[in-house]
Structure formats: C-alpha cells, structure tokens
Amino acid sequence: MQTDFLIIGSGIAGLTYALKVARQFPDKQILIITKAQADETNTKYAQGGVAGVMDAENDSFDKHIEDTLIAGDGLCNPRVVEIVVKEGVDRIRELIQWGAQFDKEKDGDYKLGKEGGHSEFRILHHKDVTGKEMERTLLEELNEFPNITVIKHWFVVDLITQHHLGCLVTKATPDIECYGVYVLNRETRQIETVLAKITLLATGGNGQVYRSTTNPVIATGDGLAMVYRAKGRIENMEFIQFHPTALYQPGVTGPSFLITEAVRGDGGILRNKDGEAFMERYDERRDLAPRDIVARAIDSEMKRTGTEHVYLDVRHIPVANFIEHFPNIYEKCLSIGIDVSKHLIPVAPAAHYSCGGIKTNEWGRTSIRSLYACGECASTGLHGANRLASNSLLEAMVFAHRCAMDAALYVNEIQVKSSIPDWNAEGTIQPKEMILITQSFKELQSVMSDYVGIVRTNTRLHRALKRLDLLWEETESLYQQTALSPQLCELRNMITVGYLIVKGAAFRKESRGLHFNTDYPGKSSLIQNIVL
Ligand SMILES: Cc1cc2nc3c(=O)[nH]c(=O)nc-3n(C[C@H](O)[C@H](O)[C@H](O)COP(=O)(O)OP(=O)(O)OC[C@H]3O[C@@H](n4cnc5c(N)ncnc54)[C@H](O)[C@@H]3O)c2cc1C
C-alpha cells in the first residue's frame, strides 16, 4: 500500500494536519492510521480547554508568553513559545470556523477560564468536555475531503528506514530516512507495508507507563519508542506532568477520572484529612499554583498524614454554577455517591502529560528525513521543564499547521521508495500465555510509579533501571519468538519509554520544573535539554 501523506494518529494533531494537507493538495492521497476507534484519543478526554489570547483588552501575547516561560522553568525555547502563542489564535479561529462551539457569555463574548499558572482569563472551553468537542469538529470536517482515508484498528509497529534495506543505521548515521511503516492489521493479523512520501507521527502521550494516569489505554508512547528504535532523537523525557487532582477511587482499574484544574480556577479548595486548606503553606498562589507545585504539595501532605488522597472542596460554589460549568464532573461524582454540594471530593495525583518527546525543529521536522512529529509525542521546545495548563491542544494545532506548511514545500520532490522487503515473521508462533505480557505490564507500572514518580532519588532511579533491564530482556525474548500482537508491541514500547524517562531523570543532576530529585534539590547553573 502507498500514499502521499501518511499520518499515524487521529487526535487533534493528526486530524488538524490531515485537513491542512488535504485542502492544499486535493490531488494527493492522505492516509490516517489509528490503532483504536478514530476518536479514542487523549484529545477526546481534554476537559479544561485551550489557551489563547482572545481578550485583547485585558490580556496580551506578552503575558501568555511570560506565563509559559515561567512554567517551563528555564527550558522553553523562547522563539517556539512566541510562535505558539501568536499563531495559536489563528488556529483557534480556524477551528471555530470548522464548527467548534466554545462557551459564551450572555453578551456573546467567549467565556474565558483561568487555570494554574495563567495570569489572565484565557481558556476557551466547551463545558468540561472541550476535547470531545474539538475531536468531533475535526472528524466532521474530515468528511469534506474525499482524498482522506482513515483506517481504524491498525497498529503501527515500526518505522521503515535504511535499516530495513540492510544498511547499518546508528545514532551517528547522518541521513536516516523514513519510507513509511510496518503495520499490524488487527483483523487479518498480517503485517502490512505502508509506504509514503511523508510520514507524520501524531501518536500522543505515554501516561499508561504509570499505574495511575488520566490517559486512556491508547497512550503507550508507541511513536516515541519507534523513533528511538529508528535511532532518531528524543529529549527531556524526565518531565512527566502529574495532574494533581484525579478522582481517587480505590480498587477501580483503568484511566483515572480527571477533576480539571478549572474547578480550582472557579474557587475549589484543596484540603487535607484534617480539613486544613494546606496550599497556603506551600505557595502564595495557593490552589492556583502551577501543577508541579500543587502535585508535590499533595504528595507531601499524603506522606505526612499517611493517607492515599486529599480532598477538593467545592461546597461553597453555588451548585447551579458548578453544574453549568462542569456537568460531566458533577454527574461522575454523583454516580459514585458524592454530592459535590455536600461532600468533599477525594483526589490524588496521576500521570497526565509528557512534556518531552520526539525532538523536532520549528517546523515539526524530526531528526529523521521525511518524518514529522507533532502533538503530545513531540518535544517542540514549548513546554520546557513543565507545561502550562491548556497549552498542549494549542501547541498541537500550531505545529500540525507548521508541519503541513513545511511538508508542502518538498512533497513533490520525493518518490515513494520501492523494493522495501515485507515484514519477516518466520519462525514465530502465536502467543500461548497472555499472562507473560499482562504481568510484565503491571510490573512496569509499579516500577515507574514507585521509583520514578513525583519525587525521585538516585537510589530509586538506579533500582528502576535494573528492574527495567530485566523486563526488557524477558520481553525481547518473547518478541523474537512470538507472532506480533498489539499488547506485546505496547509492552515493548512502554518499557522503552520507561527506560527513556529513567535515563533522562538520571542524567539531570538537579531539580527543575517537573523533575524533583531529593539528592539534587536545587537548580544547576547549566541549563540544558537532555537528548537521548
Ligand atoms: C484527561 C485529560 C485531560 C486533558 N485536558 C487538557 C486540557 O484541558 N487542555 C489541553 O491543552 N490539554 C489537555 N490534555 C492534554 C491533551 O489532551 C493532549 O496532549 C492532546 O490531546 C494530545 O493530542 P495528540 O493528537 O498529540 O494525541 P492523541 O489525541 O492522544 O491521539 C493519539 C493517536 O495516536 C494513535 N496511535 C498511538 N499509537 C499508535 C500506533 N502504534 N498505531 C496506530 N495509531 C496509534 C491513537 O490511537 C490516537 O488516535 C488532557 C489530557 C487528558 C488525558
């Protein structure tokens, strides 16, 4: 199979890019491959909204830029921050033109929210289901373009490069090229070869590496692991954002339900088990301090008081207002017996967002030729050591646009590569015991949560690396002997992602942004990105 533009992932990044190239090149073929249902993405679960300077009277680009730089704690690329903040407004307006409905005041102005780290009200939202609305808009807009094809339930296994033509490819190889991907067709269980002139990775985040995460099950860092295997550059993987307030539900497996930061923006107060509003002891911005500070404060309160959660108190917010802004959260709480007007909501931190990822330049190019990356899987330089809330949907749209603009400049010069060998599955057998995969998956999550969570130490990182080595060895042996399954591929990818997080954390001899190591509590004077 071959195409002009190949896109892996159907979240905001992949879909925005698809629409851009489809509009520009009605005569070219665009293929989107996704491993689940088209809308089963991190994007769909975004609650809080998308940040943008929509109120020029009270807000400004400079303020949004400054807030982003402060959150990034010295590691943002200022040029990229300026690009995203300034171009982001046009991308939001485009999305509105395509039909996205953001909440409005009675006078017709957009109802703008405020979240931790933002100095002004600038978060556009659609109640508390903003991502769902954005995903819906993009998928509907896709129908306008007959040159876009979406294939669901195909699992992309690996990027095809010179390595598959028998060449030795190392990190030092100057011109690694991407010719397309090998994909597992889940229905036939065959591995297909899909060749393309240009490939975009929009594979999203990797929260599933942790036991407790707000990310859906698709978030297994596949794109990152593929690029690492193909000898591309990955950076700043140690910066994992833990959302401070996921709903605490002991015994419930699967993604944790998020209580958006916007609830604190509307006046929600964190309390410990004694009812104390403890945030004032940690930061003068109290409940609206940036996420890393709030997550660490909660972690510290939980450890100090010996509890597995703290509480979010919204009892003082008029219930009608709460229901209007957060209908989904209200319903969810009610469904488990919590009436937010009377009861405290139990919350605990959960892995939420990966700030680092596949290293890209200002146009979304990776270190591998003909391969772009954007959205959560990419590290553009916007977030630095910590993401400012609601900047990620914005970044995905801005960089999807930029990738499309750049790819358009040279797509006509590229020929689809011929003579790529088929995937070789000789000598492998169907897996007999899924327990070998599921148990390793649980072990990985435990290692990462217990040793590489919100607070890290050298000893814990060292232990984590040793445990990951063992898991890696066992999984590689399984991989060599068994026919591929999505579960095995995901496990392998997640072990790689875990390894990259631990390596990044071990290399960083300081505490900065989201990375906190008690053996190096201060910031180093050497400001650097860790590239692996
Ligand atoms: C609960 C929650 C709330 C959030 N709230 C906000 C918010 O309010 N504001 C904000 O800015 N950000 C928010 N975020 C973050 C934001 O939603 C994500 O960063 C963003 O949606 C990522 O978009 P994406 O297109 O990069 O990836 P995704 O939307 O995750 O899409 C990834 C796609 O890649 C596909 N894929 C992955 N691997 C493979 C493979 N091997 N083969 C084939 N397909 C593959 C998946 O199936 C999926 O289609 C939130 C995230 C979560 C989880």
Side-chain angles (χ1 to χ4, degrees):
M1 186 184 286
Q2 66 181 58
T3 184
D4 295 301
F5 294 95
L6 171 63
I7 300 164
I8 320 299
S10 54
I12 188 167
L15 296 182
T16 307
Y17 172 88
L19 291 170
K20 296 275 167 175
V21 285
R23 194 178 300 271
Q24 234 177 320
F25 296 105
D27 56 330
K28 293 206 187 298
Q29 289 309 310
I30 294 119
L31 175 62
I32 303 176
I33 296 179
T34 180
K35 67 178 173 179
Q37 286 294 343
D39 71 345
E40 188 51 12
T41 59
N42 270 12
T43 301
K44 185 170 94 173
Y45 296 93
Q47 289 185 351
V50 54
V53 178
M54 305 297 284
D55 170 10
E57 251 175 59
N58 299 302
D59 199 1
S60 67
F61 289 146
D62 284 348
K63 285 189 196 170
H64 190 180
I65 289 171
E66 200 190 339
D67 293 344
T68 305
L69 292 171
I70 290 172
D73 207 5
L75 278 191
C76 300
N77 176 338
R79 166 89 187 117
V80 169
V81 175
E82 190 182 340
I83 287 172
V84 173
V85 167
K86 291 190 173 167
E87 295 182 10
V89 175
D90 286 343
R91 301 290 79 79
I92 292 174
R93 291 197 199 289
E94 233 160 42
L95 195 75
I96 292 170
Q97 250 175 26
W98 292 339
Q101 304 280 330
F102 293 114
D103 292 354
K104 288 186 174 171
E105 303 284 1
K106 287 202 177 80
D107 63 7
D109 284 349
Y110 284 106
K111 209 180 228 178
L112 299 173
K114 190 174 179 183
E115 294 182 325
H118 287 274
S119 56
E120 295 296 341
F121 286 81
R122 62 169 76 99
I123 318 293
L124 285 140
H125 52 88
H126 177 94
K127 307 215 178 283
D128 54 356
V129 284
T130 310
K132 196 171 171 193
E133 171 64 7
M134 293 170 94
E135 183 77 15
R136 177 201 64 77
T137 305
L138 292 165
L139 283 171
E140 276 181 25
E141 186 67 12
L142 228 58
N143 295 331
E144 304 294 314
F145 296 92
N147 54 337
I148 301 180
T149 308
V150 183
I151 303 186
K152 295 174 261 182
H153 301 289
W154 275 28
F155 187 100
V156 175
V157 177
D158 255 327
L159 300 171
I160 302 173
T161 67
Q162 294 97 319
H163 166 77
H164 299 93
L165 299 174
C167 305
L168 176 70
V169 176
T170 69
K171 286 255 180 241
T173 305
D175 264 331
I176 309 175
E177 278 181 278
C178 176
Y179 307 128
V181 296
Y182 288 120
V183 196
L184 173 63
N185 176 338
R186 295 177 90 147
E187 211 175 302
T188 62
R189 297 193 177 183
Q190 296 300 309
I191 304 280
E192 314 276 349
T193 306
V194 180
L195 301 176
K197 292 180 179 169
I198 290 179
T199 303
L200 173 84
L201 285 173
T203 46
N206 50 40
Q208 285 293 323
V209 168
Y210 289 90
R211 199 169 37 214
S212 171
T213 177
T214 61
N215 291 191
V217 292
I218 54 104
T220 52
D222 300 343
L224 271 155
M226 283 184 237
V227 168
Y228 188 68
R229 282 196 291 274
K231 312 294 180 205
R233 300 286 166 192
I234 309 283
E235 74 175 358
N236 289 348
M237 287 298 293
E238 63 278 23
F239 298 120
I240 300 293
Q241 187 169 68
F242 286 80
H243 197 290
T245 54
L247 185 62
Y248 175 75
Q249 287 181 278
V252 173
T253 52
S256 308
F257 182 81
L258 182 73
I259 310 284
T260 170
E261 200 157 340
V263 172
R264 279 176 285 128
D266 274 16
I269 297 168
L270 286 162
R271 298 189 184 279
N272 60 21
K273 82 174 201 330
D274 304 319
E276 182 203 0
F278 59 85
M279 273 314 298
E280 56 197 41
R281 277 196 278 113
Y282 292 89
D283 194 281
E284 61 186 15
R285 289 162 288 187
R286 292 183 290 191
D287 296 277
L288 286 181
R291 281 181 187 174
D292 57 322
I293 294 174
V294 180
R296 271 204 299 279
I298 295 176
D299 191 62
S300 156
E301 283 301 302
M302 282 167 24
K303 291 202 167 101
R304 194 179 65 78
T305 58
T307 49
E308 288 188 355
H309 62 84
V310 294
Y311 294 100
L312 188 60
D313 186 0
V314 299
R315 292 171 300 179
H316 51 288
I317 301 176
V319 70
N321 294 5
F322 191 90
I323 294 173
E324 199 203 339
H325 193 168
F326 310 111
N328 194 30
I329 297 174
Y330 180 79
E331 283 304 324
K332 174 72 189 180
C333 289
L334 210 54
S335 75
I336 55 167
I338 299 169
D339 175 349
V340 300
S341 66
K342 297 193 187 100
H343 307 130
L344 297 170
I345 310 170
V347 291
H352 185 55
Y353 186 83
S354 172
C355 292
I358 303 160
K359 187 173 166 51
T360 64
N361 75 0
E362 278 176 26
W363 295 96
R365 290 189 192 188
T366 69
S367 58
I368 297 177
R369 217 194 295 162
S370 305
L371 180 72
Y372 289 79
C374 69
E376 190 165 340
C377 69
S379 175
T380 63
L382 175 72
H383 306 302
N386 191 1
R387 174 187 72 130
L388 183 67
S390 290
N391 262 358
S392 38
L393 293 167
L394 190 72
E395 180 198 36
M397 290 192 288
V398 168
F399 272 90
H401 173 85
R402 293 195 137 235
C403 289
M405 294 301 108
D406 197 66
L409 296 178
Y410 76 108
V411 61
N412 286 328
E413 295 165 16
I414 304 176
Q415 298 294 318
V416 171
K417 192 82 177 171
S418 57
S419 59
I420 300 288
D422 285 341
W423 182 266
N424 182 2
E426 224 172 83
T428 57
I429 52 163
Q430 287 304 321
K432 289 204 184 98
E433 291 192 305
M434 280 308 279
I435 188 74
L436 297 178
I437 295 173
T438 51
Q439 188 54 29
S440 293
F441 178 43
K442 281 188 208 153
E443 275 178 52
L444 169 73
Q445 289 182 324
S446 292
V447 168
M448 294 304 291
S449 305
D450 296 339
Y451 298 142
V452 204
I454 296 172
V455 176
R456 298 155 182 183
T457 68
N458 286 348
T459 311
R460 289 184 203 168
L461 293 177
H462 184 66
R463 267 197 181 197
L465 210 52
K466 285 213 306 212
R467 302 293 190 274
L468 289 182
D469 272 346
L470 184 62
L471 281 170
W472 174 249
E473 245 175 60
E474 289 169 358
T475 307
E476 276 312 279
S477 141
L478 202 60
Y479 180 80
Q480 300 304 334
Q481 297 160 23
T482 357
L484 289 192
S485 65
Q487 294 85 344
L488 178 57
C489 292
E490 284 182 345
L491 172 63
R492 195 168 174 248
N493 290 338
M494 283 193 292
I495 294 172
T496 302
V497 169
Y499 167 82
L500 291 168
I501 296 171
V502 177
K503 272 288 181 197
F507 274 126
R508 191 166 287 288
K509 308 280 185 234
E510 62 168 349
S511 289
R512 183 185 293 277
L514 296 163
H515 171 70
F516 191 77
N517 183 336
T518 55
D519 290 311
Y520 310 107
K523 257 182 242 173
S524 158
S525 55
L526 183 67
I527 298 181
Q528 59 171 347
N529 294 309
I530 304 231
V531 182
L532 297 163

